[in-house]
Amino acid sequence: MRLELRGITKRFGTFTANDAIDLVVEPGQVHALLGENGAGKSTLMNVLFGLYDADEGEVLLDGEPADFEGPGDAMAAGIGMVHQHFMLVPPFTVAENVMLGHEEVRGPAKLLDLDAARAKVKEISERFNFAVDPDAVVEDLPVGAQQRVEIIKALSRDAEVLILDEPTAVLTPQETDELLAIVKDLSKAGTSVVLITHKLREVQAVADTITVIRRGKVVGQAEPTASQEELASLMVGRDVSMTVDKDAAKPGAVMLSVRDLSVVDELGIPRLKHVSFNVKAGEILAIAGVQGNGQTELTEALLGSQPVTSGDALLDGEFITGKPIKDVLMAGLGFVPEDRTEDGLVASMTIANNLILDLHDQPPYASGMALKPSVIDEEAAKHVEQFDIRTTSTEATAGSLSGGNQQKVVLARELSRPLKLLIASNPTRGLDVGSIEFVHKRIIEERDNGTAVLIVSSELDEVVALADRIAVMYHGEIVGIVPPDTDRDTLGLMMAGAKQEEAA
Ligand SMILES: Nc1ncnc2c1ncn2[C@@H]1O[C@H](COP(=O)(O)OP(=O)(O)OP(=O)(O)O)[C@@H](O)[C@H]1O
Ligand SMILES: [Mg+2]
């Protein structure tokens, strides 16, 4: 199907998120849509999918104007979408979620349909190597698995136009490769794909055509042969350094000491097994590993949101395990969670208030019981400027921000108070290349100011770029701690479970 967007304009109040955008996706083409955080990519796709009504312009399918009242109409017309923010119903099972929205699901046929949905989930997960159980309840699944469910849901409809809004942000590198291969296959079979991603390598791997938008306008087209540097500068309008510059660390005293820490989940399965390590003031320890090997349990145990079954942790000599979360944060922990929408932000609260979430009852924001709005606003304005959070007002809700800008709010908040230890899980997930450059600089500054930094990242490039030491996790254990110049093959072997000695 040939898809054409003609002169699409979408405003939120006085703010123009899409400004007369033209875009043509030919049948069977993989069309990459690139742009900075807040450029208007998701908005444009939401217009196409019938979630937003455009203020101006039209959508044409094979030359015929399409007027979608809602996503149901878009799906009926052959459009499928994987959303940047999950649209799943959390208490429902995977199969039920996949079944939802399928036109043919009505009344008494339900039981049969659920079996069909189950079979469909099985079939697609097998084809993709996605280990997704059709009967698992969505809210119990980690983010990576939820992303796979979204993809399965979109693919289950055999769409003619498939919109993928940052589908790989929470996938492992292996899963990403599988998905990109499927995108290629689908396009060969005639499906048109619109792919939104901040990972330029993916664009180079699968795109036939690239359109770049900036501040709501199309600023150019690029060929898939363009270098990452060229794409980056077209996106952000300046040169971006793709490498991280840093001096050697000058580690001080031990700041975080983790001793024999173990976590067993509700089902009795060990998730973290006798983990011990130290992080010194002024150094970055980065944890490499395939997602789901105990990283989440480790960071949450340190924060205090995950009960530990044995062992303890000390921050600057004081026990933090077993303490309330708030006390741990007040003791000098900065925490960037893995799931910003679930744990990092309150979507219905203003950006200003989200920027002081953990501190709202502390001076200088409050004196006694009263909040001090002027101080809060000043601080918020400062953060918005420093972190380049694209918004019309600090009084807008966090939920109205683009995905990458929500991530920047969490980072701005956690990096803007005096810290002894920073724990950041995938700190640059969803950020554009320019913002990644900035955040990496800020993390290194934090290190150079003497903060101990613990990074968890599923991006090996990020681990290698930031780490002073790399700890590799596998099946709940640290299989080794190695220097950052360790070769990729060794790291890969360790991530697959080989002990440090065997891998080397
Ligand atoms: N519902 C809304 N209400 C008000 N403003 C909105 C709303 N949705 C989006 N915006 C604004 O429109 C702009 C474009 O947002 P959009 O989500 O399309 O960006 P994006 O290009 O997808 O960015 P990212 O890479 O961070 O996902 C942002 O500045 C955002 O604040
Ligand atoms: Mg987006």
Side-chain angles (χ1 to χ4, degrees):
M1 191 153 65
R2 182 176 194 272
L3 165 72
E4 183 173 0
L5 300 178
R6 218 181 259 173
I8 298 286
T9 293
K10 174 65 193 167
R11 299 185 194 96
F12 296 106
T14 54
F15 175 75
T16 306
N18 290 157
D19 191 354
I21 291 190
D22 295 326
L23 187 81
V24 176
V25 185
E26 300 292 348
Q29 192 182 56
V30 180
H31 198 123
L33 192 56
L34 293 187
E36 298 175 283
N37 296 129
K41 305 176 297 292
S42 296
T43 302
L44 186 67
M45 292 302 109
N46 286 335
V47 166
L48 170 57
F49 198 56
L51 277 164
Y52 290 152
D53 235 346
D55 294 294
E56 283 157 43
E58 56 181 350
V59 176
L60 299 156
L61 296 177
D62 283 334
E64 295 294 318
D67 191 12
F68 303 144
E69 294 286 321
D73 290 350
M75 286 188 273
I79 300 177
M81 179 161 178
V82 171
H83 297 269
Q84 181 175 11
H85 296 133
F86 305 148
M87 308 286 265
L88 303 169
V89 186
F92 283 19
T93 68
V94 172
E96 284 164 346
N97 268 284
V98 166
M99 198 175 70
L100 274 178
H102 272 266
E103 285 293 299
E104 58 284 0
V105 183
R106 291 284 181 267
K110 211 167 168 201
L111 267 180
L112 265 182
D113 288 326
L114 188 56
D115 281 341
R118 230 186 239 127
K120 196 88 191 172
V121 173
K122 271 226 170 76
E123 177 207 319
I124 299 175
S125 358
E126 268 161 29
R127 209 167 76 203
F128 276 70
N129 266 328
F130 280 178
V132 173
D133 171 7
D135 296 315
V137 175
V138 163
E139 64 194 354
D140 298 339
L141 296 173
V143 278
Q146 293 192 19
Q147 178 72 80
R148 298 193 285 270
V149 176
E150 280 282 6
I151 293 168
I152 290 171
K153 194 174 150 190
L155 291 174
S156 71
R157 299 198 169 94
D158 303 320
E160 287 182 69
V161 175
L162 189 61
I163 305 166
L164 302 171
D165 193 353
E166 296 190 39
T168 63
V170 294
L171 295 186
T172 65
Q174 291 79 357
E175 288 167 341
T176 299
D177 290 343
E178 303 276 355
L179 180 67
L180 295 180
I182 296 289
V183 165
K184 274 262 179 233
D185 287 349
L186 286 171
S187 82
K188 274 196 202 113
T191 308
S192 316
V193 180
V194 182
L195 174 68
I196 299 176
T197 177
H198 290 293
K199 298 179 188 167
L200 302 177
R201 181 185 71 80
E202 298 173 6
V203 174
Q204 292 173 319
V206 295
D208 299 307
T209 309
I210 301 164
T211 295
V212 181
I213 64 177
R214 199 189 309 152
R215 296 187 187 263
K217 291 194 174 80
V218 173
V219 293
Q221 305 276 332
E223 294 296 322
T225 49
S227 69
Q228 298 202 9
E229 284 75 13
E230 285 163 344
L231 293 174
S233 80
L234 196 54
M235 271 170 70
V236 303
R238 63 175 171 88
D239 284 340
V240 179
S241 161
M242 309 294 245
T243 53
V244 178
D245 290 326
K246 66 178 191 337
D247 297 329
K250 299 184 190 70
V254 168
M255 190 56 85
L256 172 70
S257 168
V258 178
R259 306 186 300 193
D260 197 38
L261 204 63
S262 296
V263 168
V264 176
D265 72 10
E266 312 89 74
L267 299 172
I269 302 167
R271 296 290 173 190
L272 201 61
K273 302 172 195 160
H274 308 286
V275 165
S276 299
F277 64 92
N278 289 330
V279 188
K280 291 181 176 150
E283 79 160 342
I284 300 176
L285 178 73
I287 296 188
V290 176
Q291 206 169 339
N293 278 282
Q295 299 95 320
T296 313
E297 288 79 3
L298 171 62
T299 56
E300 291 183 350
L302 294 174
L303 175 69
S305 61
Q306 165 76 61
V308 303
T309 32
S310 78
D312 52 40
L314 295 105
L315 173 58
D316 200 12
E318 305 280 332
F319 285 102
I320 51 172
T321 25
K323 289 259 170 67
I325 295 176
K326 176 128 194 195
D327 293 3
V328 180
L329 294 171
M330 285 304 139
L333 171 67
F335 192 83
V336 177
E338 135 184 301
D339 188 346
R340 64 176 170 247
T341 42
E342 222 14 66
D343 305 320
L345 290 168
V346 182
S348 58
M349 267 171 44
T350 64
I351 296 166
N353 281 323
N354 268 289
L355 282 166
I356 56 163
L357 212 51
D358 310 314
L359 308 168
H360 58 89
D361 54 357
Q362 305 290 317
Y365 305 115
S367 63
M369 289 301 285
L371 290 176
K372 286 187 172 168
S374 63
V375 184
I376 296 175
D377 289 347
E378 257 167 55
E379 274 301 296
K382 210 170 77 191
H383 292 332
V384 162
E385 150 96 37
Q386 256 188 16
F387 281 79
D388 192 17
I389 298 168
R390 301 281 169 91
T391 177
T392 44
S393 158
T394 53
E395 292 305 303
T397 60
S400 75
L401 289 172
S402 79
N405 283 297
Q406 293 183 7
Q407 178 75 4
K408 290 191 215 168
V409 170
V410 178
L411 287 162
R413 180 184 67 223
E414 299 304 311
L415 283 166
S416 300
R417 55 199 173 93
L419 298 180
K420 288 180 175 170
L421 170 68
L422 171 69
I423 298 179
S425 296
N426 293 305
T428 59
R429 173 178 288 166
L431 294 191
D432 64 48
V433 282
S435 304
I436 291 176
E437 182 189 28
F438 171 76
V439 169
H440 282 168
K441 265 197 203 133
R442 277 292 285 113
I443 289 175
I444 288 168
E445 260 171 48
E446 198 61 45
R447 175 199 81 168
D448 292 343
N449 288 336
T451 303
V453 181
L454 180 64
I455 300 282
V456 175
S457 180
S458 40
E459 295 285 324
L460 199 49
D461 287 338
E462 180 161 61
V463 166
V464 171
L466 290 176
D468 297 311
R469 291 187 296 145
I470 300 175
V472 184
M473 279 190 86
Y474 179 73
H475 282 191
E477 286 178 86
I478 289 187
V479 292
I481 297 185
V482 295
D485 58 2
T486 305
D487 69 81
R488 299 272 173 141
D489 291 344
T490 308
L491 287 172
L493 283 172
M494 290 174 72
M495 284 164 66
K499 296 273 184 210
Q500 188 171 345
E501 327 52 273
E502 301 162 20

